[in-house]
Amino acid sequence: MSSRVDAPLKVTGRAKYGADNNFPGMAYGYVVLSTIAHGEIEAMDVTAAKSAPGVIGVYSPFDPLELRPANLPMFGEAWVPLQDKEVTYYGQPIGFVVAETYEQARDAAMLVEVSYHARPALTSLADGLASAEDPPPGGREDSASFTVLAPGVESIEDALAASPVVVEATYATATQHHAAMEPHSAVAVWDSGELTIYSGNQASDLLALDLGSALDEESVRAVNPFVGGAFGGKARASAPALLAAAAARVLGRPVKAVLGREQVFTATAGRAATVQNISLGADATGTLIALRHDSWCSTAADRSFVEPTSHGSREWYAAQNLAISQKIVPLNIPPTTFMRAPGEAPGSFALESAIDELAVALNMDPIELRLRNNSTAPLGKDLQWSSKHLDECLRIGAARFGWANRSPHGHTDGDWLVGLGMATAMFPALRFPATVEICLQADDTAVVATSGADPGTGLLTVLSLVGAESLDISPERITPRLGDSAFPAGGMSGGSTATASAGTAIMIAAAKVIDELLALASSAGAPFDGMEVTYAEGRVLAGGRAMTFGELLRALHRSSISATGSSAPGEELTKHSFSSFGAQFCEVRVHRWTREARVSRMLGVFDSGRIINEKAARSQIVGGMIWGVSAALHEGLEIEANGRLANGDFAGYLLPVNADIPDVDVHFVEYPDTLHNAVGAKGLGEIGVVGMAAAVANAVYNATGIRVRHLPIAIEDLL
């Protein structure tokens, strides 16, 4: 078996993504987007579009497709397109043209003429800070303000005033976009009143529920065996999925809709921009006396998402006094949403940069400062970490990276100024409810199936490996199946939860199907009638003889036997706090004359519980660390005053290429955490990005003496 089950299909081009599906009589849809950031649509002249070659339908708020706001318990209510004339951001879906070919639909969409009643638009986070608001009530717990004070301390201001050493600074991170290789797309097919939707998504069962709610339909099947990148940006039904499904129902034929690359940047959602003010107070030994973290984030006009950047300040360090606050700034910008390590990634840039600044003020090694303030539990909670080996990550990382040779002021190599930087990384260890079915087959293979998705995370391989281990057979005998809402509800591939969630359910399903197999083997008339039977290595044993489960099923004229197992977070949440931990190191070279910054070495050492598949795990971490370098030196959406994205495409939105990334060293400190889940695995899909941007910025400071407190770091910042 390949160490990645999906690899042969992907490298040979046989992996079938959503838009790869084609059906007889299929039509093509193209989304029309707004060209103002705020206002009301006065009129849409679709006469020319309707008479264009091949056009079979043009839809708008004046002639809408039937959709209603979709409501999911996990996410709340979502906006759906074409149901009103309000425009709240530039690039909002406002129309849908369906034609016989994609090119005909696209060309006709260009003929739609829209007139607006424009209103003033607020598109700048900096300009909106003065009118910042509290987050809406009932949101995520980690977006609320929070204070913990030591006995006798009246306020965080008093704690800071009493601190012998204080650093205070403001940090900012840019608006970012998921920039997945696979654009958001959908193919919708109705048959006998049932919708099948082929669309890359992070949870096929949730996509089916989402579309069912929006369409007021019960019979919806979502299929997405392969997802070309998601990172939080494909958690809910996209505009193409909603519009294609509604249009296909009206037209009585399959409809495919694919967003163009520039459309993806506005017609979906991205990461919020942030401004964060951090104050740290410590004594002369580096012990943290006070930590204040005030955060502001951009959000869309509907205030539907908060980027909780101060979450890490509650958990990472054992400060004696803590105060965090969160404000939002509603803007006329595309929606914001979860994006790889939401909150933690931009929050860690501020927190870990500030910790580095405190180390400089104390003339203390940054690693020693972090070790001195290592937390045993989140502040304000009595529940200690179930398993934490961050100190080992820091020490191993320092030894592997040559940290002992680091100078406080960097060193030179010809025309290059060279600096070393590091940062801590943490990401919550979570689980979502998941159900898995295991079916033992008469040919001595087993099918392990769940509706969850594999957006490149390696979950398909996890099903194979954990399934094989739980059934005590070789992985080659496992057929893993994913990405179909017809399978048992497998939860979402998000929040770094998939392995822990599905893996635990696999173990439960395996135990149940083995119990049922043994009961069948010893039942009346069966080969082991009335005998005490046991199971090992895929075989039923009793009385000195053995049969494989396939032989037993064939003897009983059965094609298969199956069972499902379900898992969800439970009692463990009342006993411990759970997280993955890591230490990230990098070397940055800044050219003495051009001020070009290049990352030349990277190392990440992680405590993420048991590692199921070393290759997939390393790939996840490497991808995250590259993402962190991208945030530090490349990525940032530039929003013009009128709300248009100046660089909303792959030409202008900078992302790293091979030449930007050196070899990445990854090391796992492997301690299975069976207090978190039976598999012992903790999430690692997102932690790789968390500390990287701060490590780069800290290395830049070490090399140049210039402290850059905003992302991305540009040449101008280092002149």
Side-chain angles (χ1 to χ4, degrees):
M1 186 192 83
S2 166
S3 57
R4 285 291 298 261
V5 173
D6 51 334
L9 292 173
K10 288 179 176 176
V11 300
T12 58
R14 289 179 292 145
K16 202 169 186 179
Y17 294 83
D20 292 333
N21 289 276
N22 296 293
F23 295 91
M26 188 169 71
Y28 296 79
Y30 192 89
V31 181
V32 179
L33 305 181
S34 68
T35 54
I36 66 166
H38 190 207
E40 185 176 359
I41 302 170
E42 288 184 332
M44 291 180 69
D45 186 348
V46 299
T47 307
K50 282 188 172 181
S51 59
V55 171
I56 54 179
V58 180
Y59 307 97
S60 72
F62 301 93
D63 184 13
L65 291 161
E66 189 177 342
L67 291 165
R68 62 181 189 177
N71 206 320
L72 285 181
M74 187 175 177
F75 295 108
E77 191 172 278
W79 176 88
V80 292
L82 313 192
Q83 303 310 297
D84 60 60
K85 302 176 185 68
E86 286 293 311
V87 174
T88 59
Y89 60 93
Y90 195 112
Q92 173 183 314
I94 58 171
F96 193 56
V97 178
V98 183
E100 297 292 345
T101 70
Y102 173 83
E103 291 77 13
Q104 288 174 331
R106 180 193 60 196
D107 292 351
M110 302 304 148
L111 301 175
V112 175
E113 295 185 6
V114 186
S115 58
Y116 303 93
H117 173 66
R119 303 190 190 108
L122 183 61
T123 58
S124 163
L125 175 59
D127 293 346
L129 290 175
S131 57
E133 307 172 1
D134 289 328
R140 295 166 61 187
E141 175 192 355
D142 56 7
S143 65
S145 298
F146 182 78
T147 302
V148 173
L149 297 173
V153 177
E154 295 292 324
S155 67
I156 194 67
E157 289 76 18
D158 288 350
L160 287 165
S163 301
V165 181
V166 176
V167 297
E168 179 179 1
T170 299
Y171 306 86
T173 63
T175 303
Q176 297 175 351
H177 203 274
H178 302 81
M181 285 294 290
E182 178 197 24
H184 294 64
S185 65
V187 177
V189 183
W190 289 85
D191 184 16
S192 303
E194 178 179 288
L195 168 67
T196 301
I197 192 89
Y198 301 85
S199 180
N201 191 271
Q202 291 173 240
S204 56
D205 56 310
L206 294 181
L207 175 59
L209 290 173
D210 218 2
L211 285 171
S213 175
L215 295 162
D216 196 19
E217 293 280 352
E218 292 185 4
S219 298
V220 178
R221 178 187 174 197
V223 181
N224 64 327
F226 296 99
V227 184
F231 322 116
K234 293 176 181 173
R236 296 208 66 164
S238 63
L242 292 161
L243 294 170
R249 179 167 60 178
V250 170
L251 297 172
R253 57 191 288 188
V255 173
K256 177 188 289 191
V258 181
L259 290 179
R261 181 62 66 191
E262 291 183 48
Q263 292 182 316
V264 171
F265 278 85
T266 66
T268 62
R271 197 197 297 276
T274 76
V275 173
Q276 304 169 62
N277 184 272
I278 292 187
S279 300
L280 300 177
D283 65 19
T285 70
T287 300
L288 276 173
I289 296 171
L291 193 169
R292 183 175 64 197
H293 191 164
D294 299 317
S295 300
W296 296 261
C297 73
S298 60
T299 187
D302 64 2
R303 299 159 174 79
S304 58
F305 185 80
V306 181
E307 185 90 15
T309 46
S310 54
H311 176 77
S313 293
R314 293 179 63 162
E315 300 194 338
W316 292 22
Y317 297 108
Q320 298 168 24
N321 301 276
L322 169 73
I324 63 177
S325 70
Q326 179 72 57
K327 297 282 188 180
I328 61 171
V329 180
L331 300 175
N332 297 114
I333 59 171
T336 58
T337 192
F338 303 95
M339 182 164 148
R340 202 170 198 176
E344 273 79 7
S348 69
F349 168 67
L351 178 60
E352 290 300 282
S353 293
I355 290 289
D356 200 70
E357 296 203 48
L358 179 60
V360 172
L362 290 163
N363 194 27
M364 180 179 290
D365 184 274
I367 294 177
E368 178 58 32
L369 178 61
R370 287 169 171 82
L371 288 169
R372 192 157 294 190
N373 293 283
N374 201 1
S375 68
T376 57
L379 291 173
K381 290 180 73 173
D382 295 328
L383 302 180
Q384 294 196 340
W385 301 116
S386 59
S387 170
K388 184 178 185 181
H389 302 276
L390 176 60
D391 53 349
E392 194 171 334
C393 294
L394 289 164
R395 292 190 174 105
I396 289 174
R400 286 174 74 102
F401 205 67
W403 188 260
N405 300 323
R406 173 184 180 268
S407 162
H409 307 292
H411 67 276
T412 61
D413 181 8
D415 280 338
W416 293 91
L417 310 176
V418 185
L420 302 186
M422 58 80 54
T424 293
M426 288 175 62
F427 193 80
L430 307 168
R431 279 199 296 151
F432 291 151
T435 300
V436 173
E437 180 182 47
I438 294 181
C439 184
L440 303 181
Q441 311 269 51
D443 63 357
D444 274 316
T445 65
V447 176
V448 180
T450 185
S451 70
D454 185 350
T457 55
L459 182 57
L460 203 65
T461 306
V462 167
L463 296 190
S464 179
L465 294 176
V466 177
E469 179 181 88
S470 302
L471 293 172
D472 201 12
I473 60 177
S474 69
E476 289 78 10
R477 291 168 61 186
I478 299 289
T479 303
R481 289 183 177 161
L482 266 178
D484 189 330
S485 63
F487 298 151
M492 179 194 290
S493 281
S496 301
T497 62
T499 298
S501 303
T504 307
I506 290 169
M507 295 178 71
I508 294 168
K512 288 172 66 175
V513 79
I514 290 169
D515 284 345
E516 293 187 22
L517 179 74
L518 295 179
L520 183 66
S522 59
S523 62
F528 299 94
D529 186 348
M531 301 173 70
E532 284 286 330
V533 288
T534 58
Y535 176 91
E537 298 179 344
R539 300 181 300 166
V540 178
L541 306 106
R545 67 190 183 103
M547 296 178 75
T548 67
F549 62 74
E551 290 170 341
L552 177 67
L553 291 171
R554 293 195 298 272
L556 293 170
H557 306 291
R558 293 276 299 263
S559 61
S560 64
I561 183 172
S562 64
T564 60
S566 297
S567 168
E571 189 181 8
E572 76 276 4
L573 298 179
T574 66
K575 297 179 179 179
H576 297 281
S577 298
F578 302 98
S579 185
S580 291
F581 306 91
Q584 294 178 286
F585 299 79
C586 76
E587 177 185 82
V588 171
R589 294 168 174 259
V590 178
H591 197 274
R592 185 189 302 276
W593 308 117
T594 68
R595 311 310 278 184
E596 169 192 8
R598 309 286 294 182
V599 173
S600 46
R601 285 195 297 138
M602 285 192 281
L603 166 67
V605 183
F606 295 94
D607 167 25
S608 289
R610 180 185 169 203
I611 304 302
I612 304 298
N613 180 348
E614 179 85 23
K615 179 181 286 187
R618 184 182 184 279
S619 293
Q620 284 290 287
I621 292 295
V622 168
M625 291 174 68
I626 292 170
W627 195 312
V629 171
S630 185
L633 299 177
H634 301 83
E635 284 186 72
L637 278 173
E638 298 166 17
I639 304 174
E640 297 177 343
N642 69 351
R644 176 182 172 273
L645 301 184
N647 60 336
D649 54 43
F650 272 6
Y653 186 73
L654 299 183
L655 296 164
V657 296
N658 284 352
D660 296 307
I661 302 299
D663 287 340
V664 184
D665 188 12
V666 176
H667 180 75
F668 293 109
V669 176
E670 197 168 348
Y671 293 92
D673 188 348
T674 51
L675 295 173
H676 177 47
N677 64 84
V679 179
K682 295 191 288 190
L684 50 73
E686 293 171 270
I687 192 173
V689 69
V690 173
M692 207 61 226
V696 172
N698 295 340
V700 166
Y701 174 79
N702 182 239
T704 65
I706 299 172
R707 179 68 66 179
V708 184
R709 299 187 178 95
H710 63 260
L711 298 180
I713 299 169
I715 286 176
E716 313 74 291
D717 300 318
L718 305 177
L719 291 174

